[in-house]
Each structure stands twice: as C-alpha cells, then as structure tokens.
C-alpha cells in the first residue's frame, strides 16, 4: 500500500482500534486459558488464541509502518480483557464460549463497517489493508461458529450475557478509535 494520498485520519483510527481489539482478544483468551486451559476445551481456546496472536502481530507491524500510536487505554484493556475472559470462563466452558460468540460477532460487524468505509473511499488504494481486515474478519467469524458449536447458548443467562458483552465491545471500539 502506497502512503500517497491516503486518508490518514481513517487509517490511523482503523489501525489503532483494530490493534486495541486484537490486544483485548488476546487478553480475553489468556483469561479463559487461565481458568480452562487444562480442560477438554483448552485446546480449542488455545487454537483461537494462536490466531489472535497472529492478528495482534500484524497490527503491531501496521502500527509501526503507519506510525500509529496505540490507544491510551491499553492498560485498561489489559485488565478488563483478562477479567472478562477469566470471569466468563468461571461460568464454565459455555460461559467462555458465550463470551467468544459475543465478542467475535461484534468484531466481525466492526470489521465489516471498516471494509465498507475503505471500499467506498478507494478499494484499490487500500487493497492491502482490506485483505488483512477481510482475512481477520473471516477468522473471527470462525471463532464465533466454534463458540456456538461448543454450547455457548447453554451459558447461564446467555442472551443477557451476550448483550452486556456486546455493549462493552461497542464502548471499547468507540473509545479506542478516539483515545
């Protein structure tokens, strides 16, 4: 991707928030593994976490390439992400998977909005970034489906839990884009 004539404000916002989101996802999976890592669902969580580690690595590279500063909320997302992962895992594998479904559904929606924004502006100019976002969106949707396959909907108060987590995701996205 050439750096000529790009919408720096949009790219800055996209990379910052996506970096924060992938960092948060890593912390969520770390919390889930702390509680469920030695159970039968541990390898499933580990596989999803490994993909999130790759996502974070890529956004770390993009942060440097585009000289984007991280959100000032990183220390907060560090604690909140781990607490969310561990807290939902304490509800059992169903709670952890409900968290995965809620977060990944929110992130896929968020990535779709970014794809739409970049496509409307100039798909050729942003092709490299679009490829990254599309790939990661597809992997997030795989995680969503894995969560459903592993009984997310059997979590206690699933609908309420999912709604609360998704509201938190919307707030995290809003804040991380701006700060």
């Amino acid at each position: 991707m050439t750096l000529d004539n790009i919408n720096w404000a949009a790219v800055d916002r996209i990379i910052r928030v996506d970096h924060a989101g992938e960092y948060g996802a890593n912390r969520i999976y770390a919390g889930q593994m702390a509680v469920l890592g030695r159970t039968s669902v541990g390898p499933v969580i580990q596989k999803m976490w490994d993909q999130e580690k790759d996502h974070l690595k890529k956004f770390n590279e993009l942060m440097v390439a585009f000289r984007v500063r991280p959100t000032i909320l990183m220390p907060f997302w560090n604690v909140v992400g781990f607490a969310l992962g561990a807290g939902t895992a304490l509800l059992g594998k169903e709670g952890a998977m409900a968290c995965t479904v809620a977060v990944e559904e929110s992130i896929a929606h968020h990535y779709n909005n970014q794809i739409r924004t970049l496509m409307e502006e100039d798909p050729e100019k942003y092709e490299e970034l679009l490829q990254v976002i599309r790939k990661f969106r597809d992997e997030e949707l795989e995680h969503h489906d894995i969560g459903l396959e592993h009984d997310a909907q059997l979590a206690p108060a699933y609908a309420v839990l999912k709604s609360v987590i998704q509201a938190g995701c919307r707030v995290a996205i809003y804040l991380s884009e701006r700060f």
Side-chain angles (χ1 to χ4, degrees), residues 103-117:
V103 170
E104 302 296 21
E105 188 174 291
S106 296
I107 299 312
H109 176 75
H110 169 70
Y111 278 157
N112 281 334
N113 288 339
Q114 290 180 339
I115 291 166
R116 196 169 11 269
T117 297

Side-chain angles (χ1 to χ4, degrees), residues 12 25 45 49 73 80 95 114 120 130 134 156 162 171:
D12 187 76
I45 295 169
W49 188 13
L73 299 168
V80 171
Q114 290 180 339
E120 288 170 357
L130 282 163
R134 283 184 188 118
K162 182 180 173 192
V171 169

Side-chain angles (χ1 to χ4, degrees), residues 26-37:
N26 270 270
R27 299 304 298 148
I28 290 168
Y29 284 120
Q32 289 179 351
M33 286 298 289
V35 175
L36 297 172

Side-chain angles (χ1 to χ4, degrees), residues 28-29 31-42 44-45 48 83-101 146-147 150-158 161 165:
I28 290 168
Y29 284 120
Q32 289 179 351
M33 286 298 289
V35 175
L36 297 172
R38 295 179 188 259
T39 68
S40 62
V41 77
V44 174
I45 295 169
M48 293 186 290
L84 178 60
T88 55
L90 288 170
L91 297 173
K93 82 169 179 110
E94 297 84 359
M97 292 298 152
C99 177
T100 296
V101 167
I146 289 167
H150 286 85
D151 302 325
Q153 293 168 310
L154 299 179
Y158 172 75
L161 182 62
I165 292 170

Side-chain angles (χ1 to χ4, degrees), residues 49-106:
W49 188 13
D50 289 343
Q51 284 184 312
E52 297 297 347
K53 289 176 183 178
D54 290 340
H55 297 181
L56 181 58
K57 182 179 179 224
K58 181 61 177 179
F59 277 109
N60 279 333
E61 293 167 3
L62 291 172
M63 297 270 293
V64 172
F66 288 92
R67 302 179 55 103
V68 175
R69 68 161 178 78
T71 176
I72 62 171
L73 299 168
M74 292 295 281
F76 184 69
W77 300 147
N78 178 33
V79 174
V80 171
F82 188 90
L84 178 60
T88 55
L90 288 170
L91 297 173
K93 82 169 179 110
E94 297 84 359
M97 292 298 152
C99 177
T100 296
V101 167
V103 170
E104 302 296 21
E105 188 174 291
S106 296

